[in-house]
Amino acid sequence: MDDERMSLPRRAAMRLWLLHVATVRSRLVRPLDGRQAFVAGRRPLRVLLVGSGPAMGWGVGSYDLALPGAMARALAASTGRGAVVDVVPHHSAGVRRLRRMVRSAEPGRYDAVVLSGAVADAVRMVEPKAWRARLQTLLADTVAASAGTVVWLGAQPIRSIPSFDSRPGQVAQDHAELLNRIAHEVCGEAGAVFVPLSGPPPGAGGRHRTPSDYLHWAREIVDALIPALHERDVPSAAAASEGSDRAQAIARLKLGSRGGDARLDGIVGTAKRTLGTEIAMFTVLDDVKEWPFASAGAVLDEIPIEQSACIHTIQTPDGMVVPNAVEDPRFSGSALVAGPAGLRYYAGYPVEAPDGTRIGAICVFGRTPRERADGEADLDVLRELALLAQRELWRFEPVAEG
């Protein structure tokens, strides 16, 4: 259905309703924090959530309370693993815009890519035949570019949104049901997973959306996603970062010219106190050197990349432990090990820039060797602190809403 096939009175009514939708949306709370939610845990699953509608987090003030946080918690509960959900939101993204957004988000880094644009296109009353063709192209491109599972979120009942519960809302809801039928067919053809979102249970006194609504949808998404992840055996999707990529990501964040950060200092101090080591740092590595952006216990100078322990850490998907550096040929000849510092123990976990490039590590150094089992337990702590550090880096990110 499009404007040409609608009667003049209905066309006018729908345009007035769209103005009403835009007015309601402009007054809503939505998340303004770092576009990531996580649950710390080993071998974390990485999910990319792109688009409009439920991906925006309308009605709540943090992505932890919106769909990314709810999905991360549901994934962790269902798999016993960690989960990191990155979100690329746009308030009106439909299929046409989603194709550009997905391409720029590097979907190959993720175990699953979840696309949301059905509601935006339904309220615009897009023509079904053209929409089918665009969705086929979007899903084909995303499946080809992604190393994991691709999910399309069907439009939830439009009238389940309190402010959209009206006669024009029913017209949009009928159109959404048509688009959902098309999407179900196209997903089957493309090898993607179609998730028909239902209306959340009533509650919250007419609020637009609540955390319980997002948890409701997260469970529906994860229940459909888990079998597909098991079928793929979920390889680690994140690739090692090249030196030139790190240098560019560091330049975008202006880390080379910043004088430190109190919150990152606090994260590093927590690592030192919690793990009982002599030194803890957040190190940054470009293409030629490593330097401590935040440190506790010692201030080490920058060193050539070839002498770095953290360069090995950022090549791993889930951190690195060196129980006794004297016994490790990679580090036994280092001045930090053989020299006066006498360092023996190391544990580190990669830290990513907002664009996913691994630019450094949260790491600890000790002068006493430890058992490997103790080191693996330390990684559990460093994993969560690294995710907190990544969230802090979002404050440095200059890129505005996509």
Side-chain angles (χ1 to χ4, degrees):
M1 186 185 300
D2 60 14
D3 274 359
E4 295 179 358
R5 299 182 185 183
M6 296 172 68
S7 67
L8 183 60
R10 175 172 284 191
R11 186 162 63 231
M14 289 304 297
R15 286 178 175 171
L16 286 173
W17 183 72
L18 285 174
L19 288 174
H20 165 70
V21 169
T23 301
V24 170
R25 188 170 58 198
S26 69
R27 297 170 180 167
L28 292 174
V29 173
R30 69 178 181 88
L32 296 175
D33 52 354
R35 297 172 188 169
Q36 184 182 82
F38 66 86
V39 173
R42 299 191 178 188
R43 298 172 57 233
L45 293 161
R46 298 175 58 88
V47 177
L48 174 65
L49 173 62
V50 187
S52 55
M56 285 296 300
W58 299 116
V60 298
S62 168
Y63 285 115
D64 283 328
L65 299 176
L67 190 57
M71 285 180 60
R73 291 188 291 275
L75 276 169
S78 298
T79 64
R81 297 169 59 174
V84 178
V85 180
D86 293 330
V87 57
V88 181
H90 189 282
H91 67 276
S92 63
V95 168
R96 192 192 297 269
R97 184 181 290 270
L98 276 171
R99 190 179 178 195
R100 298 194 298 271
M101 294 171 67
V102 171
R103 189 184 305 124
S104 64
E106 301 182 36
R109 299 188 290 116
Y110 295 90
D111 298 306
V113 178
V114 180
L115 306 174
S116 177
V119 172
D121 282 339
V123 299
R124 284 194 289 259
M125 307 295 291
V126 296
E127 196 279 318
K129 185 176 179 180
W131 191 80
R132 176 192 288 269
R134 293 188 195 115
L135 183 62
Q136 287 172 331
T137 301
L138 169 66
L139 293 181
D141 289 352
T142 307
V143 168
S146 174
T149 301
V150 176
V151 176
W152 175 261
L153 300 184
Q156 71 272 28
I158 304 296
R159 295 189 68 172
S160 71
I161 305 171
S163 53
F164 297 171
D165 188 10
S166 62
R167 290 182 65 186
Q170 183 62 51
V171 175
Q173 181 165 305
D174 293 341
H175 196 63
E177 291 171 359
L178 172 59
L179 297 186
N180 281 348
R181 291 194 293 271
I182 294 172
H184 186 266
E185 295 172 3
V186 174
C187 285
E189 297 164 0
V193 176
F194 175 73
V195 180
L197 298 182
S198 63
R207 283 182 56 186
H208 187 88
R209 287 294 174 227
T210 69
S212 62
D213 295 339
Y214 292 111
L215 180 58
H216 171 84
W217 285 329
R219 288 169 176 159
E220 292 184 334
I221 296 167
V222 170
D223 285 347
L225 182 57
I226 290 297
L229 292 176
H230 285 327
E231 286 180 11
R232 289 178 177 269
D233 198 26
V234 194
S236 176
S241 302
E242 298 294 334
S244 59
D245 295 333
R246 295 195 302 271
Q248 291 173 15
I250 291 166
R252 285 193 294 271
L253 296 171
K254 297 182 171 60
L255 295 186
S257 60
R258 294 182 185 272
D261 181 86
R263 285 185 259 197
L264 289 171
D265 287 341
I267 291 171
V268 167
T270 298
K272 179 178 181 294
R273 291 190 303 273
T274 304
L275 302 184
T277 57
E278 281 80 9
I279 300 170
M281 293 191 293
F282 166 39
T283 62
V284 177
L285 299 87
D286 59 18
D287 52 343
V288 295
K289 64 184 181 299
E290 170 194 309
W291 72 94
F293 189 78
S295 63
V299 179
L300 303 179
D301 294 330
E302 66 180 46
I303 59 174
I305 203 79
E306 296 81 8
Q307 299 178 23
S308 167
C310 293
I311 189 64
H312 299 280
T313 293
I314 66 173
Q315 307 302 321
T316 70
D318 205 28
M320 183 181 78
V321 174
V322 180
N324 189 348
V326 170
E327 299 174 354
D328 191 316
R330 294 174 297 176
F331 311 115
S332 58
S334 167
L336 294 175
V337 176
L343 299 180
R344 295 293 181 267
Y345 173 68
Y346 169 90
Y349 196 85
V351 172
E352 297 179 357
D355 68 356
T357 304
R358 298 182 197 166
I359 59 169
I362 294 290
C363 56
V364 292
F365 299 85
R367 295 191 175 91
T368 304
R370 297 189 180 187
E371 297 295 326
R372 177 162 292 279
D374 295 333
E376 294 296 331
D378 290 349
L379 275 186
D380 291 339
V381 176
L382 293 175
R383 184 179 295 110
E384 185 153 2
L385 294 176
L387 291 168
L388 291 173
Q390 288 174 191
R391 181 167 296 182
E392 291 303 317
L393 291 180
W394 278 100
R395 296 187 297 109
F396 303 163
E397 174 62 34
V399 178
E401 177 182 302

